[in-house]
Amino acid sequence: MLDRMLHVVRGNVDAQANLVLGQLLDAGGHARIVARLLDAGASPNRSDKDGTTALGAAAYFGKQAVVDLLLARGADAGGAASSAGGDGPSPLDAAIWGGNARIVKALLAAG
């Protein structure tokens, strides 16, 4: 299944946001899978149709390893998803709503 997803990411840049976000949630937030998607060319900053980024989803669900990985790969810690007109929640908002204090601190430290 992961190989099929990687093939799609390589072949369809527009599918990146949903693949990264969808697989982050479907795979239980496994950093290894997110790393493979990023290695295949998925953007750490793309958002879904609602403006939620993979970083925001990981922050909400308390996936510290994925948050750390996305930040290390250039995910924007500070703002709402610009590709959705800025309407999505910021990763910081998502971490607060999810009650994830360690991730709130990591996001604040990242800027």
Side-chain angles (χ1 to χ4, degrees):
M1 181 173 137
L2 182 57
D3 289 332
R4 271 187 290 152
M5 291 171 9
L6 293 173
H7 176 74
V8 172
V9 170
R10 287 185 188 112
N12 185 356
V13 174
D14 292 334
Q16 291 177 2
N18 289 334
L19 278 175
V20 171
L21 182 58
Q23 289 309 307
L24 170 65
L25 300 175
D26 292 345
H30 295 292
R32 180 182 65 82
I33 293 174
V34 175
R36 296 248 344 244
L37 290 168
L38 293 169
D39 289 344
S43 169
N45 289 309
R46 296 288 303 266
S47 63
D48 66 9
K49 64 181 174 48
D50 297 320
T52 301
T53 62
L55 182 59
Y60 179 80
F61 288 106
K63 303 299 182 180
Q64 184 75 51
V66 175
V67 168
D68 293 342
L69 172 65
L70 289 167
L71 290 173
R73 298 286 189 100
D76 180 8
S82 60
S83 64
D87 293 335
S90 72
L92 182 59
D93 290 335
I96 292 168
W97 295 336
N100 298 303
R102 285 183 51 214
I103 292 174
V104 168
K105 289 178 186 176
L107 292 170
L108 289 173

